[in-house]
């Protein structure tokens, strides 16, 4: 991991990888959306409404994955003092917040026709909403605290403490009685979804993951440039 | 996809919202990346 600690080396690798990641992302989105809107059959109970799953579930997966990346990067920043770890965590937060909002909003659009309500305070929805608040709080820390070192320290702690919410989201449907359905893809005893519906979901899940990877690498590149620019400006003001 | 089925409007709304938010996020990241790297290049050029 230390070999990527050099920002120059990281930028060289990111710049080479980005075009390929974007091409793969576009191809996977095209295949996944074709499967989701054309080949996947309507559900015998939910009818066409089940197609909301193909945008809702990957967004929810990514909201949790991105927060996990932030927590891991924060732990790496504390333990190894890796110079890019804070950059990785900070850059991931706005992307994760958008995925989290998307999961909440599309879930609401799915809930209204299926449950008869836009929103219910059940364990899964509430813990997902808490995740969104954690994202907003994490971003606010970086915006509100001017001294970067202090902001980084507080943000790391928030990311690590907030990580407790990730297993709560995952297992909320098992631990409590919820209106939200239990897990049907990532299960110990295998998926309960038919392959004709499962493959577009998995392809779109991979497409969302690659989209995150591409946006994250670009955001990290921007953040490295922003930090370099700030250091140069400080150095120049010191010379003057 | 039967666009005339019951509740098809909810499906359309979910996909439209996803498209708008994802496109907005991509534009934000691209614009920010281009803006900051341009400023850095200008600053380094002015320094030389």
């Amino acid at each position: 991991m230390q070999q990527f600690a050099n920002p120059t080396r990281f930028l060289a690798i990111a710049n080479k990888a980005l075009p390929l990641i974007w091409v793969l992302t576009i191809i996977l989105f095209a295949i996944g959306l074709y499967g989701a809107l054309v080949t996947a059959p309507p559900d015998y109970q939910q009818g066409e409404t089940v197609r909301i799953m193909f945008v809702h579930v990957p967004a929810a997966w990514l909201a949790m994955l991105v927060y996990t990346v932030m927590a891991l990067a924060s732990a790496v920043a504390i333990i190894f003092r890796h110079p890019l770890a804070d950059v990785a965590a900070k850059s991931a937060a706005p992307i994760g917040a958008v995925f989290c909002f998307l999961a909440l909003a599309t879930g609401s659009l799915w809930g209204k026709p299926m449950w008869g309500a836009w929103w219910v305070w059940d364990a899964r929805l509430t813990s997902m909403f808490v995740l969104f608040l954690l994202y907003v709080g994490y971003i606010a820390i970086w915006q509100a605290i001017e001294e970067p070192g202090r902001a980084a320290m507080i943000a790391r702690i928030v990311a690590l403490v907030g990580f407790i919410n990730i297993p709560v989201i995952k297992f909320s449907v098992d631990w409590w009685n919820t209106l939200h359905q239990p897990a049907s893809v990532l299960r110990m005893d295998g998926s309960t979804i038919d392959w004709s519906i499962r493959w577009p979901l998995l392809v779109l899940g991979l497409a969302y993951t690659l989209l995150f990877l591409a946006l994250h690498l670009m955001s990290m590149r921007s953040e490295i440039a922003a930090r370099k620019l700030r250091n140069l400006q400080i150095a120049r003001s010191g010379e003057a | 996809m039967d666009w005339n089925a019951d509740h098809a409007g909810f499906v359309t709304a979910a996909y439209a919202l996803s498209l708008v938010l994802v496109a907005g996020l991509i534009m934000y990241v691209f614009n920010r990346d281009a803006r900051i790297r341009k400023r850095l290049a200008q600053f380094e050029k002015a320094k030389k």
Side-chain angles (χ1 to χ4, degrees):
Chain A
M1 192 165 53
Q2 289 299 329
Q3 61 180 318
F4 300 113
N6 182 337
T8 310
R9 188 174 298 158
F10 166 80
L11 288 173
I13 294 168
N15 288 337
K16 271 186 190 168
L18 271 168
L20 178 67
I21 297 170
W22 277 118
V23 169
L24 282 174
T25 304
I26 292 165
I27 291 170
L28 285 176
F29 263 109
I31 296 170
L33 286 172
Y34 178 76
L37 293 172
V38 180
T39 67
D43 183 70
Y44 78 108
Q45 281 181 321
Q46 301 190 31
E48 299 290 353
T49 319
V50 75
R51 297 186 198 280
I52 296 175
M53 174 181 72
F54 298 113
V55 285
H56 168 73
V57 173
W61 283 344
L62 262 291
M64 291 193 284
L65 175 74
V66 174
Y67 199 89
T68 305
V69 168
M70 284 167 56
L72 278 173
S74 299
V76 168
I78 291 172
I79 298 164
F80 299 108
R81 304 273 172 197
H82 194 299
L84 288 178
D86 282 325
V87 172
K90 186 185 175 187
S91 305
I95 306 168
V98 170
F99 283 130
C100 194
F101 180 80
L102 206 48
L104 289 168
T106 53
S108 184
L109 284 164
W110 198 2
K112 181 62 180 168
M114 290 300 105
W115 301 339
W118 295 102
W119 183 265
V120 285
W121 289 102
D122 92 342
R124 172 58 70 83
L125 275 72
T126 306
S127 53
M128 216 43 203
F129 183 64
V130 169
L131 181 65
F132 181 67
L133 295 180
L134 282 166
Y135 274 122
V136 173
Y138 181 91
I139 294 165
I141 288 166
W142 279 105
Q143 297 290 327
I145 301 172
E146 281 187 26
E147 207 275 295
R150 197 160 155 261
M153 199 61 230
I154 297 170
R156 287 171 200 160
I157 293 165
V158 167
L160 285 172
V161 172
F163 182 68
I164 191 98
N165 191 42
I166 297 298
V168 171
I169 295 171
K170 168 69 185 153
F171 296 109
S172 57
V173 285
D174 303 319
W175 293 343
W176 293 286
N177 256 331
T178 60
L179 198 53
H180 195 284
Q181 67 171 60
S184 47
V185 180
L186 304 172
R187 292 165 57 101
M188 296 295 278
D189 55 349
S191 173
T192 56
I193 299 180
D194 187 74
W195 178 247
S196 61
I197 294 179
R198 196 166 71 218
W199 79 257
L201 184 61
L202 295 176
V203 170
L204 281 171
L206 195 56
Y208 271 67
T209 308
L210 286 178
L211 175 67
F212 163 64
L213 187 61
L215 293 174
H216 193 212
L217 286 177
M218 287 189 71
S219 296
M220 283 180 71
R221 186 169 72 181
S222 311
E223 183 61 24
I224 290 167
R227 288 177 182 213
K228 191 176 175 187
L229 181 64
R230 190 169 54 233
N231 288 341
L232 286 170
Q233 285 169 336
I234 290 169
R236 192 168 76 170
S237 64
E239 287 167 10
Chain B
M1 169 78 199
D2 176 8
W3 298 102
N4 296 314
D6 286 347
H7 308 307
F10 289 96
V11 181
T12 309
Y15 278 78
L17 184 69
S18 300
L19 178 68
V20 168
L21 282 182
V22 168
L25 179 65
I26 291 170
M27 278 164 58
Y28 165 76
V29 170
F30 267 83
N31 285 339
R32 182 172 180 265
D33 187 52
R35 193 181 67 241
I36 293 174
R37 293 204 301 158
K38 189 180 169 188
R39 276 176 57 196
L40 179 62
Q42 283 172 343
F43 195 90
E44 285 177 330
K45 196 177 170 187
K47 205 180 165 195
K48 284 173 190 170

